[in-house]
Amino acid sequence: KMSFIDNLHFDQNGLIPAIAQDWLDGSILMMAWMNKESLIKTLESGEVHYWSRSRKELWHKGKTSGHFQKLKGIRTDCDLDAILLSIEQVGSIACHTGKRSCFFKDLETNQEDISPPSDSCSELFRVIQNRKSNPEEGSYTNSLLKEGDNKILKKIGEETAEFIMACKDKDSNSMANEAADMVFHLQVALAHQNVSWTEVLQVLAKRRGGPRRNQ
């Protein structure tokens, strides 16, 4: 299992950059350094260990803060000189500032955003949640949330029927659009019922590699 370590290209100080990525939505959470010792410790324990260049010692991420990183997968790049860690971030906080990701500063706008870029569906759900917390006049999302279950569930039914008809007509462009409408209204329903998109992703992740259904 650890034989790949000998093939990695560590720098002159015996270090290799490691990028931590959320295992569910793909958000880049942080970058730190690892050496062979921290890499072996990570693989043995299942919790990420880095090498602290400033303290010159092994750094068990979360030991002080409680924000441990559980290893879900590990990859290297094509040149074998960088590592990508797929992790479950305990507490959803990776940065020492208390933010979810260390990459929270947008250089173009000079604004700070506590939510790092992630997959489109997760981004969409964050927008819906923000509309729920901070209603905007004229917002279609807010009009759905205000009218509640009857309106939201009716729309899900309508969009499902339109998706089915697009499939029947073999209209690929229409299928993509109707599928997007279904996902949006599904997420509005989830937000209205206080069920997070992360919970949905967790269910999907558990099903990967699980027992196959006979029917």
Side-chain angles (χ1 to χ4, degrees):
K1 183 180 179 181
M2 301 188 190
S3 59
F4 75 92
I5 295 177
D6 294 328
N7 296 322
L8 294 176
H9 296 161
F10 295 89
D11 66 14
Q12 65 271 22
N13 298 312
L15 301 176
I16 192 168
I19 300 164
Q21 181 181 38
D22 186 275
W23 73 300
L24 290 175
D25 68 14
S27 296
I28 302 300
L29 300 180
M30 62 178 285
M31 176 270 166
W33 296 88
M34 301 181 87
N35 58 11
K36 284 187 179 182
E37 182 186 4
S38 65
L39 192 47
I40 291 171
K41 193 74 174 175
T42 295
L43 292 168
E44 287 179 341
S45 68
E47 293 186 347
V48 181
H49 290 66
Y50 298 104
W51 177 259
S52 172
R53 294 183 300 172
S54 59
R55 299 192 302 271
K56 292 182 169 48
E57 64 182 16
L58 208 62
W59 165 28
H60 183 186
K61 174 66 177 175
K63 187 176 181 181
T64 302
S65 64
H67 300 144
F68 297 98
Q69 292 180 345
K70 298 180 180 179
L71 186 67
K72 294 290 185 178
I74 184 167
R75 294 188 180 200
T76 182
D77 70 335
C78 54
D79 294 322
L80 298 172
D81 59 4
I83 290 173
L84 180 65
L85 305 170
S86 180
I87 60 110
E88 176 186 347
Q89 179 63 62
V90 175
S92 196
I93 295 175
C95 186
H96 74 282
T97 63
K99 293 181 173 62
R100 183 181 178 208
S101 170
C102 295
F103 298 94
F104 55 79
K105 192 69 173 283
D106 188 315
L107 295 182
E108 291 185 343
T109 63
N110 203 34
Q111 298 294 314
E112 292 186 2
D113 186 351
I114 60 172
S115 300
S118 61
D119 67 84
S120 296
C121 285
S122 296
E123 293 272 6
L124 172 62
F125 193 73
R126 278 204 292 270
V127 171
I128 293 170
Q129 282 187 310
N130 185 57
R131 288 287 189 277
K132 183 178 179 182
S133 302
N134 305 287
E136 290 188 6
E137 188 174 348
S139 164
Y140 174 62
T141 301
N142 283 130
S143 70
L144 288 173
L145 292 169
K146 184 177 181 180
E147 293 192 52
D149 285 335
N150 287 348
K151 180 67 172 181
I152 296 169
L153 299 180
K154 181 183 178 184
K155 287 299 297 182
I156 290 176
E158 290 175 358
E159 300 300 345
T160 301
E162 290 177 10
F163 175 73
I164 291 171
M165 294 308 297
C167 290
K168 182 177 178 294
D169 294 339
K170 297 183 174 12
D171 183 341
S172 58
N173 182 61
S174 182
M175 278 187 268
N177 277 277
E178 297 304 340
D181 286 343
M182 285 176 64
V183 171
F184 167 74
H185 289 92
L186 174 68
Q187 288 195 343
V188 172
L190 290 168
H192 184 62
Q193 297 293 340
N194 297 312
V195 177
S196 73
W197 186 246
T198 299
E199 291 177 67
V200 176
L201 295 180
Q202 288 171 339
V203 171
L204 291 172
K206 286 178 182 177
R207 290 180 180 177
R208 286 203 304 263
R212 297 190 179 276
R213 299 179 183 179
N214 295 323
Q215 298 179 349

